[in-house]
Amino acid sequence: MAVLIFACIYTATHPGMMRFALLILFASILLIPYCVMLAFGKPQEYAKAEDVEEEKEEVKPEIVVEEIQVEKIDLIQKGKAFVAAAADSFSDKDGMQNLLDTINKTCVEVTSANGGAILMVDEFEDLITVKSFTGEFPPPYKLPDDLPHKPLRVSTSFKYAQFPLRDNIFGEIATAGKAELIAVPKMDDRIVENGPEDFLKLGSFIFLPLRMPGKDVVVGVLALSRNPGTDPFGDKEFDWAQTLTEFAESALKTALNFKQYTEKQELTKEADIASGIQISFLPKKLPPLPGLNIGTYAEHTSGVCSDVYDVIPARQDRIAFIVMDVAGKGMNSLLVMTMIRAMFRLIVNTTQTAGTILSWANRGICSEPNADHFASIALINYDPTSKKIQLATGGSVPVYRYNVAKEAVEKVSVTCEPIGIEKTTSYKDIEFTASQGDIIICYTDGLVEALNAQGQQYSLASLTNIIKANAKLPGKDIANLVKSDIKKFIGNETLRDDQTLLVIKIQ
């Protein structure tokens, strides 16, 4: 490089191409050895760096492979069997019981227990109930005083036993949610030994809570027992049982979730059928009623079957109006509603008063052993020849009268028990003569208790304000105004109960 620089400077001060060419040739000759060194040799620093890199590549970390124990592989296979049993439970009516029995027997087998039991917590009551039982399991709780100490009687009693969630080892484990290995039961005051008989003597126990994964909710307890005279359970069996319990919890979650889904689907299907029949009970078209103008409004909630109204021109001197609200929902409510409606359609054709008809229907419903529902009812009998009104009510369905002379809404019904509660209940007749322009109003509580987005109720005051402000209109128009007003008040909120309104305008 220095020769090249010198050649350039020299040529600039001493012009001549020959001298410049000679100097360039000399510089090229000097570069040849350097090029040879680059091609076949290594700079010392580069060689050292490459050697260090090779040394780094040669040093590799040791890979430690943990040996999987045969016992763990076996537990995994057992856990797979739980999942398979849970899947089979979907299509088998006894599937849940088969799943519990599979879990119980597997845990007994793996831990070499003499007996095992699975108890499930009742989600509606503070009870835990034996659902699966196998082998010999001396009861660790106090036996009833009147139970003979015989193996068959004791084991049969345990198979169908229920326990509170306190004051016994099963309830305590379910409440605390903590697995326990009890090698010496005599040292644990939660466990009771019942007698000197050999089959009642206690050995060792393992108690494990069964949880719903992801919810940390205890749904049951797995209990394992070893008889006295055998080696007590140790940490190894305790660990195996805990591992199997984790598989069991996942299988139970799958089975329980599917069971809840199918039950919900059945209830929805049942409710849809009941709602369809309920709607069919409503009069499709009101018959001509002399001296009256009728307005009605009925809105039904999905899955609820409670409200119905009926208009029955029974005789020349009686038009019967019925508004009914049956407690509960679904098919049970529908059956009660159907029975009551049939009774009224038959009895209103007699000369009996409204109170007597209600009392007869009440005795009929109370006499049905499987009718565990009650109903609120208003029965209004109107005589078009005399404008005389006779009514009787039971429960929460009231009757109001807009008194045209006073221009005020007043309650005319009295509070009394719903029908279906007490067989001896007697219902009172209320009678008065209506005037032209009077309005009789009857409704179910779902109407005035309807909620808006702010949680406010529609209220009786809102209903009566509509009626007083539009008292000169026909009954049909008044009912339509109430319908529009309540829908505006509720907005997009979901109905929580059926709504029924009956407006009878005296002309």
Side-chain angles (χ1 to χ4, degrees), residues 174-185:
T175 302
K178 181 182 178 183
E180 293 197 37
L181 165 61
I182 302 177
V184 185

Side-chain angles (χ1 to χ4, degrees), residues 40-247:
F40 299 99
K42 293 182 181 179
Q44 187 175 2
E45 294 79 3
Y46 178 78
K48 289 182 180 180
E50 188 171 322
D51 291 341
V52 171
E53 187 66 28
E54 289 177 356
E55 289 179 3
K56 288 183 180 180
E57 291 179 357
E58 290 176 359
V59 179
K60 296 181 179 180
E62 183 180 356
I63 300 175
V64 180
V65 179
E66 183 181 356
E67 183 179 353
I68 300 177
Q69 299 177 1
V70 177
E71 293 88 347
K72 292 184 178 180
I73 296 175
D74 187 52
L75 292 178
I76 293 173
Q77 296 301 325
K78 301 292 186 184
K80 288 182 178 179
F82 295 169
V83 176
D88 291 340
S89 70
F90 297 167
S91 57
D92 188 348
K93 66 176 182 179
D94 298 322
M96 178 59 72
Q97 185 61 54
N98 293 337
L99 172 60
L100 294 176
D101 290 341
T102 300
I103 294 171
N104 191 18
K105 292 176 181 178
T106 301
C107 291
V108 168
E109 175 190 344
V110 169
T111 60
S112 298
N114 294 107
I118 293 179
L119 301 89
M120 299 299 288
V121 176
D122 190 316
E123 59 182 324
F124 299 108
E125 300 183 31
D126 292 335
L127 295 173
I128 184 167
T129 305
V130 178
K131 294 296 184 180
S132 178
F133 178 87
T134 187
E136 301 174 12
F137 199 109
Y141 59 93
K142 188 179 185 309
L143 293 174
D145 294 334
D146 58 349
L147 182 67
H149 286 196
K150 296 182 179 180
L152 181 59
R153 294 292 298 276
V154 172
S155 62
T156 302
S157 172
F158 183 53
K159 286 179 182 179
Y160 303 100
Q162 288 185 327
F163 304 93
L165 294 178
R166 58 188 178 278
D167 301 330
N168 64 86
I169 185 63
F170 303 115
E172 297 289 344
I173 295 296
T175 302
K178 181 182 178 183
E180 293 197 37
L181 165 61
I182 302 177
V184 185
K186 292 182 179 180
M187 303 296 292
D188 196 312
D189 58 4
R190 297 170 298 175
I191 295 180
V192 178
E193 189 162 5
N194 287 281
E197 294 89 352
D198 288 341
F199 77 93
L200 292 177
K201 291 181 179 179
L202 306 179
S204 57
F205 292 96
I206 291 176
F207 297 98
L208 302 131
L210 297 169
R211 304 174 184 274
M212 281 291 280
K215 295 184 179 180
D216 198 31
V217 176
V218 176
V219 296
V221 170
L222 170 67
L224 301 169
S225 170
R226 271 189 183 175
N227 293 339
T230 61
D231 293 334
F233 288 121
D235 291 337
K236 180 174 65 174
E237 292 85 1
F238 189 49
D239 290 340
W240 288 349
Q242 286 181 301
T243 301
L244 287 174
T245 299
E246 292 177 1
F247 285 112

Side-chain angles (χ1 to χ4, degrees), residues 389 399-412 432-442 463-473 478 503-506:
I389 290 178
V399 179
Y400 284 82
R401 173 192 182 188
Y402 173 77
N403 192 319
V404 67
K406 299 179 181 178
E407 296 185 352
V409 176
E410 52 194 17
K411 187 176 182 179
V412 293
F432 61 90
T433 300
S435 302
Q436 183 178 354
D438 281 359
I439 304 172
I440 307 301
I441 310 105
C442 186
L463 174 63
T464 55
N465 287 339
I466 294 290
I467 293 169
K468 288 189 290 185
N470 301 278
K472 295 182 179 180
L473 296 177
I478 295 174
V503 178
I504 307 170
K505 177 70 175 288
I506 311 298

Side-chain angles (χ1 to χ4, degrees), residues 255-320:
L256 289 172
N257 284 346
F258 183 79
K259 180 182 177 183
Q260 292 174 355
Y261 171 78
T262 53
E263 287 176 349
K264 183 178 179 181
Q265 291 296 104
E266 287 295 323
L267 289 174
T268 301
K269 182 179 179 180
E270 177 184 295
D272 290 341
I273 294 172
S275 296
I277 298 174
Q278 173 192 14
I279 293 172
S280 70
F281 285 162
L282 301 177
K284 299 296 184 293
K285 184 178 181 181
L286 295 177
L289 302 174
L292 299 176
N293 186 275
I294 309 299
T296 61
Y297 165 55
E299 189 73 23
H300 297 110
T301 306
S302 176
V304 176
C305 178
S306 60
D307 288 8
V308 71
Y309 70 87
D310 205 356
V311 180
I312 310 170
R315 303 193 311 268
Q316 187 175 0
D317 60 346
R318 174 177 289 180
I319 301 172

Side-chain angles (χ1 to χ4, degrees), residues 348-370:
V348 294
N349 289 286
T350 68
T351 58
Q352 300 299 322
T353 66
T356 302
I357 292 172
L358 224 60
S359 299
W360 285 6
N362 176 60
R363 285 198 293 271
I365 292 298
C366 290
S367 299
E368 289 292 330
N370 297 322

Side-chain angles (χ1 to χ4, degrees), residues 18-33:
M18 183 59 71
R19 295 188 186 91
F20 180 72
L22 291 173
L23 289 172
I24 292 297
L25 178 61
F26 180 69
S28 300
I29 293 171
L30 291 178
L31 284 173
I32 290 173

